[in-house]
mmCIF file of all heavy atoms in Angstrom:
data_model
loop_
_atom_site.group_PDB
_atom_site.id
_atom_site.type_symbol
_atom_site.label_atom_id
_atom_site.label_comp_id
_atom_site.label_asym_id
_atom_site.label_seq_id
_atom_site.Cartn_x
_atom_site.Cartn_y
_atom_site.Cartn_z
ATOM 1 N N LEU A 219 224.119 -40.719 -24.978
ATOM 2 C CA LEU A 219 225.481 -41.168 -24.730
ATOM 3 C C LEU A 219 226.275 -41.262 -26.025
ATOM 4 O O LEU A 219 227.458 -40.867 -26.080
ATOM 5 C CB LEU A 219 225.465 -42.532 -24.027
ATOM 6 C CG LEU A 219 224.801 -42.581 -22.650
ATOM 7 C CD1 LEU A 219 224.744 -44.014 -22.142
ATOM 8 C CD2 LEU A 219 225.555 -41.697 -21.667
ATOM 9 N N ILE A 220 225.644 -41.752 -27.074
ATOM 10 C CA ILE A 220 226.304 -41.830 -28.376
ATOM 11 C C ILE A 220 226.560 -40.425 -28.926
ATOM 12 O O ILE A 220 227.639 -40.146 -29.473
ATOM 13 C CB ILE A 220 225.453 -42.644 -29.367
ATOM 14 C CG1 ILE A 220 225.174 -44.048 -28.799
ATOM 15 C CG2 ILE A 220 226.135 -42.754 -30.713
ATOM 16 C CD1 ILE A 220 226.397 -44.896 -28.618
ATOM 17 N N GLU A 221 225.584 -39.550 -28.780
ATOM 18 C CA GLU A 221 225.763 -38.173 -29.260
ATOM 19 C C GLU A 221 226.892 -37.475 -28.509
ATOM 20 O O GLU A 221 227.701 -36.745 -29.109
ATOM 21 C CB GLU A 221 224.453 -37.401 -29.090
ATOM 22 C CG GLU A 221 223.305 -37.952 -29.936
ATOM 23 C CD GLU A 221 221.985 -37.251 -29.648
ATOM 24 O OE1 GLU A 221 221.989 -36.368 -28.761
ATOM 25 O OE2 GLU A 221 220.985 -37.601 -30.289
ATOM 26 N N ALA A 222 226.979 -37.698 -27.193
ATOM 27 C CA ALA A 222 228.056 -37.082 -26.418
ATOM 28 C C ALA A 222 229.410 -37.618 -26.851
ATOM 29 O O ALA A 222 230.391 -36.862 -26.950
ATOM 30 C CB ALA A 222 227.831 -37.350 -24.934
ATOM 31 N N ALA A 223 229.492 -38.929 -27.118
ATOM 32 C CA ALA A 223 230.760 -39.513 -27.568
ATOM 33 C C ALA A 223 231.173 -38.956 -28.924
ATOM 34 O O ALA A 223 232.359 -38.658 -29.162
ATOM 35 C CB ALA A 223 230.625 -41.029 -27.644
ATOM 36 N N GLN A 224 230.209 -38.784 -29.833
ATOM 37 C CA GLN A 224 230.526 -38.219 -31.137
ATOM 38 C C GLN A 224 230.928 -36.756 -31.035
ATOM 39 O O GLN A 224 231.815 -36.285 -31.761
ATOM 40 C CB GLN A 224 229.332 -38.390 -32.078
ATOM 41 C CG GLN A 224 229.038 -39.848 -32.437
ATOM 42 C CD GLN A 224 227.792 -40.001 -33.280
ATOM 43 O OE1 GLN A 224 227.031 -39.046 -33.471
ATOM 44 N NE2 GLN A 224 227.563 -41.203 -33.792
ATOM 45 N N ASP A 225 230.318 -36.006 -30.129
ATOM 46 C CA ASP A 225 230.704 -34.611 -29.936
ATOM 47 C C ASP A 225 232.124 -34.490 -29.401
ATOM 48 O O ASP A 225 232.821 -33.497 -29.678
ATOM 49 C CB ASP A 225 229.732 -33.925 -28.964
ATOM 50 C CG ASP A 225 228.347 -33.761 -29.568
ATOM 51 O OD1 ASP A 225 228.241 -33.810 -30.810
ATOM 52 O OD2 ASP A 225 227.376 -33.620 -28.800
ATOM 53 N N LEU A 226 232.564 -35.507 -28.654
ATOM 54 C CA LEU A 226 233.921 -35.493 -28.117
ATOM 55 C C LEU A 226 234.943 -36.076 -29.091
ATOM 56 O O LEU A 226 236.114 -36.253 -28.728
ATOM 57 C CB LEU A 226 233.964 -36.282 -26.807
ATOM 58 C CG LEU A 226 233.160 -35.675 -25.643
ATOM 59 C CD1 LEU A 226 233.153 -36.615 -24.453
ATOM 60 C CD2 LEU A 226 233.735 -34.317 -25.253
ATOM 61 N N GLY A 227 234.499 -36.374 -30.319
ATOM 62 C CA GLY A 227 235.417 -36.843 -31.356
ATOM 63 C C GLY A 227 235.578 -38.341 -31.441
ATOM 64 O O GLY A 227 236.516 -38.818 -32.087
ATOM 65 N N CYS A 228 234.700 -39.100 -30.826
ATOM 66 C CA CYS A 228 234.796 -40.560 -30.868
ATOM 67 C C CYS A 228 234.223 -41.076 -32.188
ATOM 68 O O CYS A 228 233.083 -40.748 -32.542
ATOM 69 C CB CYS A 228 234.046 -41.168 -29.690
ATOM 70 S SG CYS A 228 234.179 -42.968 -29.587
ATOM 71 N N PRO A 229 234.965 -41.885 -32.960
ATOM 72 C CA PRO A 229 234.432 -42.441 -34.215
ATOM 73 C C PRO A 229 233.222 -43.336 -33.942
ATOM 74 O O PRO A 229 233.095 -43.915 -32.857
ATOM 75 C CB PRO A 229 235.611 -43.255 -34.775
ATOM 76 C CG PRO A 229 236.821 -42.709 -34.099
ATOM 77 C CD PRO A 229 236.369 -42.271 -32.745
ATOM 78 N N PRO A 230 232.332 -43.475 -34.915
ATOM 79 C CA PRO A 230 231.116 -44.292 -34.699
ATOM 80 C C PRO A 230 231.419 -45.738 -34.310
ATOM 81 O O PRO A 230 230.746 -46.303 -33.438
ATOM 82 C CB PRO A 230 230.394 -44.212 -36.046
ATOM 83 C CG PRO A 230 230.879 -42.936 -36.656
ATOM 84 C CD PRO A 230 232.295 -42.783 -36.211
ATOM 85 N N ILE A 231 232.423 -46.347 -34.954
ATOM 86 C CA ILE A 231 232.729 -47.743 -34.633
ATOM 87 C C ILE A 231 233.238 -47.862 -33.198
ATOM 88 O O ILE A 231 232.852 -48.767 -32.436
ATOM 89 C CB ILE A 231 233.766 -48.310 -35.628
ATOM 90 C CG1 ILE A 231 233.183 -48.322 -37.047
ATOM 91 C CG2 ILE A 231 234.192 -49.716 -35.215
ATOM 92 C CD1 ILE A 231 234.136 -48.825 -38.103
ATOM 93 N N THR A 232 234.110 -46.948 -32.797
ATOM 94 C CA THR A 232 234.621 -46.973 -31.425
ATOM 95 C C THR A 232 233.507 -46.722 -30.421
ATOM 96 O O THR A 232 233.450 -47.356 -29.354
ATOM 97 C CB THR A 232 235.717 -45.919 -31.254
ATOM 98 O OG1 THR A 232 236.726 -46.115 -32.255
ATOM 99 C CG2 THR A 232 236.339 -46.004 -29.877
ATOM 100 N N ALA A 233 232.593 -45.797 -30.751
ATOM 101 C CA ALA A 233 231.463 -45.519 -29.863
ATOM 102 C C ALA A 233 230.567 -46.753 -29.727
ATOM 103 O O ALA A 233 230.028 -47.029 -28.641
ATOM 104 C CB ALA A 233 230.666 -44.337 -30.386
ATOM 105 N N PHE A 234 230.432 -47.508 -30.810
ATOM 106 C CA PHE A 234 229.614 -48.715 -30.751
ATOM 107 C C PHE A 234 230.222 -49.737 -29.794
ATOM 108 O O PHE A 234 229.530 -50.295 -28.937
ATOM 109 C CB PHE A 234 229.458 -49.321 -32.145
ATOM 110 C CG PHE A 234 228.785 -50.659 -32.153
ATOM 111 C CD1 PHE A 234 227.407 -50.761 -32.078
ATOM 112 C CD2 PHE A 234 229.535 -51.836 -32.225
ATOM 113 C CE1 PHE A 234 226.774 -51.999 -32.076
ATOM 114 C CE2 PHE A 234 228.920 -53.071 -32.226
ATOM 115 C CZ PHE A 234 227.544 -53.150 -32.154
ATOM 116 N N TRP A 235 231.523 -49.988 -29.914
ATOM 117 C CA TRP A 235 232.163 -51.019 -29.097
ATOM 118 C C TRP A 235 232.360 -50.589 -27.651
ATOM 119 O O TRP A 235 232.444 -51.444 -26.763
ATOM 120 C CB TRP A 235 233.511 -51.415 -29.708
ATOM 121 C CG TRP A 235 233.370 -52.235 -30.944
ATOM 122 C CD1 TRP A 235 233.687 -51.882 -32.216
ATOM 123 C CD2 TRP A 235 232.845 -53.571 -31.021
ATOM 124 N NE1 TRP A 235 233.400 -52.904 -33.091
ATOM 125 C CE2 TRP A 235 232.885 -53.952 -32.388
ATOM 126 C CE3 TRP A 235 232.364 -54.479 -30.086
ATOM 127 C CZ2 TRP A 235 232.447 -55.210 -32.814
ATOM 128 C CZ3 TRP A 235 231.935 -55.724 -30.522
ATOM 129 C CH2 TRP A 235 231.980 -56.076 -31.869
ATOM 130 N N LYS A 236 232.449 -49.289 -27.407
ATOM 131 C CA LYS A 236 232.682 -48.825 -26.045
ATOM 132 C C LYS A 236 231.399 -48.442 -25.300
ATOM 133 O O LYS A 236 231.406 -48.377 -24.066
ATOM 134 C CB LYS A 236 233.642 -47.629 -26.057
ATOM 135 C CG LYS A 236 235.072 -48.009 -26.400
ATOM 136 C CD LYS A 236 236.009 -46.821 -26.217
ATOM 137 C CE LYS A 236 237.464 -47.247 -26.427
ATOM 138 N NZ LYS A 236 238.418 -46.130 -26.227
ATOM 139 N N ILE A 237 230.321 -48.182 -26.049
ATOM 140 C CA ILE A 237 229.088 -47.729 -25.395
ATOM 141 C C ILE A 237 227.923 -48.662 -25.719
ATOM 142 O O ILE A 237 227.317 -49.249 -24.811
ATOM 143 C CB ILE A 237 228.749 -46.281 -25.818
ATOM 144 C CG1 ILE A 237 229.874 -45.330 -25.398
ATOM 145 C CG2 ILE A 237 227.424 -45.846 -25.204
ATOM 146 C CD1 ILE A 237 229.683 -43.917 -25.864
ATOM 147 N N THR A 238 227.601 -48.793 -27.006
ATOM 148 C CA THR A 238 226.400 -49.544 -27.392
ATOM 149 C C THR A 238 226.503 -51.018 -27.023
ATOM 150 O O THR A 238 225.606 -51.574 -26.370
ATOM 151 C CB THR A 238 226.151 -49.397 -28.892
ATOM 152 O OG1 THR A 238 226.050 -48.008 -29.237
ATOM 153 C CG2 THR A 238 224.865 -50.109 -29.290
ATOM 154 N N PHE A 239 227.576 -51.657 -27.433
ATOM 155 C CA PHE A 239 227.686 -53.096 -27.198
ATOM 156 C C PHE A 239 227.752 -53.437 -25.709
ATOM 157 O O PHE A 239 227.056 -54.370 -25.261
ATOM 158 C CB PHE A 239 228.891 -53.669 -27.939
ATOM 159 C CG PHE A 239 228.953 -55.169 -27.901
ATOM 160 C CD1 PHE A 239 228.124 -55.937 -28.712
ATOM 161 C CD2 PHE A 239 229.825 -55.823 -27.042
ATOM 162 C CE1 PHE A 239 228.156 -57.318 -28.667
ATOM 163 C CE2 PHE A 239 229.873 -57.202 -26.992
ATOM 164 C CZ PHE A 239 229.035 -57.952 -27.808
ATOM 165 N N PRO A 240 228.572 -52.736 -24.877
ATOM 166 C CA PRO A 240 228.556 -53.065 -23.440
ATOM 167 C C PRO A 240 227.190 -52.881 -22.792
ATOM 168 O O PRO A 240 226.801 -53.676 -21.923
ATOM 169 C CB PRO A 240 229.586 -52.097 -22.850
ATOM 170 C CG PRO A 240 230.506 -51.782 -23.971
ATOM 171 C CD PRO A 240 229.640 -51.764 -25.191
ATOM 172 N N LEU A 241 226.443 -51.849 -23.204
ATOM 173 C CA LEU A 241 225.125 -51.635 -22.624
ATOM 174 C C LEU A 241 224.113 -52.685 -23.078
ATOM 175 O O LEU A 241 223.094 -52.899 -22.404
ATOM 176 C CB LEU A 241 224.615 -50.240 -22.973
ATOM 177 C CG LEU A 241 225.368 -49.071 -22.322
ATOM 178 C CD1 LEU A 241 224.820 -47.741 -22.829
ATOM 179 C CD2 LEU A 241 225.266 -49.141 -20.804
ATOM 180 N N SER A 242 224.378 -53.319 -24.209
ATOM 181 C CA SER A 242 223.455 -54.341 -24.716
ATOM 182 C C SER A 242 223.850 -55.744 -24.282
ATOM 183 O O SER A 242 223.198 -56.711 -24.701
ATOM 184 C CB SER A 242 223.396 -54.285 -26.248
ATOM 185 O OG SER A 242 224.650 -54.643 -26.815
ATOM 186 N N LEU A 243 224.881 -55.886 -23.458
ATOM 187 C CA LEU A 243 225.328 -57.221 -23.045
ATOM 188 C C LEU A 243 224.249 -58.041 -22.342
ATOM 189 O O LEU A 243 224.186 -59.261 -22.546
ATOM 190 C CB LEU A 243 226.565 -57.099 -22.145
ATOM 191 C CG LEU A 243 227.896 -56.940 -22.869
ATOM 192 C CD1 LEU A 243 229.035 -56.804 -21.873
ATOM 193 C CD2 LEU A 243 228.148 -58.100 -23.815
ATOM 194 N N PRO A 244 223.388 -57.461 -21.493
ATOM 195 C CA PRO A 244 222.303 -58.288 -20.928
ATOM 196 C C PRO A 244 221.424 -58.925 -21.995
ATOM 197 O O PRO A 244 221.027 -60.095 -21.866
ATOM 198 C CB PRO A 244 221.523 -57.292 -20.067
ATOM 199 C CG PRO A 244 222.518 -56.248 -19.703
ATOM 200 C CD PRO A 244 223.412 -56.111 -20.890
ATOM 201 N N GLY A 245 221.107 -58.176 -23.051
ATOM 202 C CA GLY A 245 220.324 -58.745 -24.140
ATOM 203 C C GLY A 245 221.100 -59.793 -24.910
ATOM 204 O O GLY A 245 220.535 -60.805 -25.355
ATOM 205 N N VAL A 246 222.419 -59.587 -25.077
ATOM 206 C CA VAL A 246 223.254 -60.565 -25.766
ATOM 207 C C VAL A 246 223.286 -61.874 -24.994
ATOM 208 O O VAL A 246 223.115 -62.963 -25.568
ATOM 209 C CB VAL A 246 224.686 -60.016 -25.956
ATOM 210 C CG1 VAL A 246 225.607 -61.099 -26.507
ATOM 211 C CG2 VAL A 246 224.676 -58.814 -26.897
ATOM 212 N N VAL A 247 223.496 -61.782 -23.689
ATOM 213 C CA VAL A 247 223.552 -62.995 -22.862
ATOM 214 C C VAL A 247 222.206 -63.720 -22.865
ATOM 215 O O VAL A 247 222.146 -64.949 -23.027
ATOM 216 C CB VAL A 247 223.971 -62.632 -21.426
ATOM 217 C CG1 VAL A 247 223.877 -63.846 -20.516
ATOM 218 C CG2 VAL A 247 225.383 -62.065 -21.416
ATOM 219 N N ALA A 248 221.116 -62.967 -22.714
ATOM 220 C CA ALA A 248 219.787 -63.590 -22.707
ATOM 221 C C ALA A 248 219.489 -64.252 -24.044
ATOM 222 O O ALA A 248 218.987 -65.387 -24.092
ATOM 223 C CB ALA A 248 218.723 -62.542 -22.381
ATOM 224 N N GLY A 249 219.799 -63.574 -25.138
ATOM 225 C CA GLY A 249 219.556 -64.153 -26.457
ATOM 226 C C GLY A 249 220.397 -65.389 -26.714
ATOM 227 O O GLY A 249 219.904 -66.383 -27.264
ATOM 228 N N CYS A 250 221.670 -65.356 -26.308
ATOM 229 C CA CYS A 250 222.539 -66.515 -26.514
ATOM 230 C C CYS A 250 222.049 -67.722 -25.716
ATOM 231 O O CYS A 250 222.076 -68.854 -26.211
ATOM 232 C CB CYS A 250 223.972 -66.160 -26.122
ATOM 233 S SG CYS A 250 224.790 -65.021 -27.268
ATOM 234 N N LEU A 251 221.599 -67.490 -24.492
ATOM 235 C CA LEU A 251 221.079 -68.605 -23.692
ATOM 236 C C LEU A 251 219.795 -69.160 -24.296
ATOM 237 O O LEU A 251 219.593 -70.386 -24.328
ATOM 238 C CB LEU A 251 220.830 -68.156 -22.260
ATOM 239 C CG LEU A 251 222.073 -67.851 -21.414
ATOM 240 C CD1 LEU A 251 221.669 -67.347 -20.038
ATOM 241 C CD2 LEU A 251 222.959 -69.084 -21.284
ATOM 242 N N LEU A 252 218.924 -68.274 -24.780
ATOM 243 C CA LEU A 252 217.657 -68.732 -25.367
ATOM 244 C C LEU A 252 217.878 -69.522 -26.652
ATOM 245 O O LEU A 252 217.036 -70.352 -27.024
ATOM 246 C CB LEU A 252 216.750 -67.528 -25.653
ATOM 247 C CG LEU A 252 216.135 -66.843 -24.431
ATOM 248 C CD1 LEU A 252 215.375 -65.591 -24.850
ATOM 249 C CD2 LEU A 252 215.215 -67.794 -23.690
ATOM 250 N N VAL A 253 218.980 -69.279 -27.341
ATOM 251 C CA VAL A 253 219.278 -70.017 -28.571
ATOM 252 C C VAL A 253 220.096 -71.266 -28.266
ATOM 253 O O VAL A 253 219.813 -72.348 -28.789
ATOM 254 C CB VAL A 253 220.023 -69.110 -29.574
ATOM 255 C CG1 VAL A 253 220.472 -69.918 -30.797
ATOM 256 C CG2 VAL A 253 219.131 -67.964 -30.017
ATOM 257 N N PHE A 254 221.114 -71.135 -27.425
ATOM 258 C CA PHE A 254 222.044 -72.240 -27.186
ATOM 259 C C PHE A 254 221.368 -73.413 -26.495
ATOM 260 O O PHE A 254 221.572 -74.578 -26.882
ATOM 261 C CB PHE A 254 223.221 -71.734 -26.344
ATOM 262 C CG PHE A 254 224.220 -72.808 -26.016
ATOM 263 C CD1 PHE A 254 225.161 -73.197 -26.951
ATOM 264 C CD2 PHE A 254 224.209 -73.427 -24.774
ATOM 265 C CE1 PHE A 254 226.084 -74.196 -26.654
ATOM 266 C CE2 PHE A 254 225.126 -74.418 -24.476
ATOM 267 C CZ PHE A 254 226.068 -74.805 -25.416
ATOM 268 N N ILE A 255 220.549 -73.135 -25.471
ATOM 269 C CA ILE A 255 219.977 -74.225 -24.671
ATOM 270 C C ILE A 255 219.095 -75.148 -25.508
ATOM 271 O O ILE A 255 219.281 -76.374 -25.492
ATOM 272 C CB ILE A 255 219.212 -73.647 -23.467
ATOM 273 C CG1 ILE A 255 220.197 -73.008 -22.478
ATOM 274 C CG2 ILE A 255 218.397 -74.722 -22.763
ATOM 275 C CD1 ILE A 255 219.536 -72.288 -21.336
ATOM 276 N N PRO A 256 218.113 -74.638 -26.270
ATOM 277 C CA PRO A 256 217.316 -75.581 -27.072
ATOM 278 C C PRO A 256 218.080 -76.152 -28.263
ATOM 279 O O PRO A 256 217.761 -77.242 -28.725
ATOM 280 C CB PRO A 256 216.122 -74.732 -27.536
ATOM 281 C CG PRO A 256 216.609 -73.332 -27.502
ATOM 282 C CD PRO A 256 217.582 -73.262 -26.384
ATOM 283 N N ALA A 257 219.104 -75.423 -28.763
ATOM 284 C CA ALA A 257 219.846 -75.920 -29.917
ATOM 285 C C ALA A 257 220.677 -77.153 -29.569
ATOM 286 O O ALA A 257 220.882 -78.015 -30.421
ATOM 287 C CB ALA A 257 220.750 -74.822 -30.479
ATOM 288 N N VAL A 258 221.144 -77.251 -28.323
ATOM 289 C CA VAL A 258 221.937 -78.417 -27.923
ATOM 290 C C VAL A 258 221.118 -79.699 -28.042
ATOM 291 O O VAL A 258 221.602 -80.720 -28.537
ATOM 292 C CB VAL A 258 222.468 -78.240 -26.492
ATOM 293 C CG1 VAL A 258 223.107 -79.528 -25.997
ATOM 294 C CG2 VAL A 258 223.485 -77.122 -26.434
ATOM 295 N N GLY A 259 219.894 -79.657 -27.596
ATOM 296 C CA GLY A 259 219.039 -80.843 -27.640
ATOM 297 C C GLY A 259 218.123 -80.903 -28.840
ATOM 298 O O GLY A 259 217.158 -81.689 -28.830
#
Side-chain angles (χ1 to χ4, degrees):
L219 298 175
I220 303 296
E221 296 175 358
Q224 293 176 351
D225 291 340
L226 294 174
C228 183
I231 297 178
T232 306
F234 172 81
W235 287 112
K236 289 188 174 181
I237 299 175
T238 304
F239 188 77
L241 292 176
S242 66
L243 277 179
V246 172
V247 173
C250 289
L251 290 177
L252 288 174
V253 174
F254 179 80
I255 292 174
V258 171

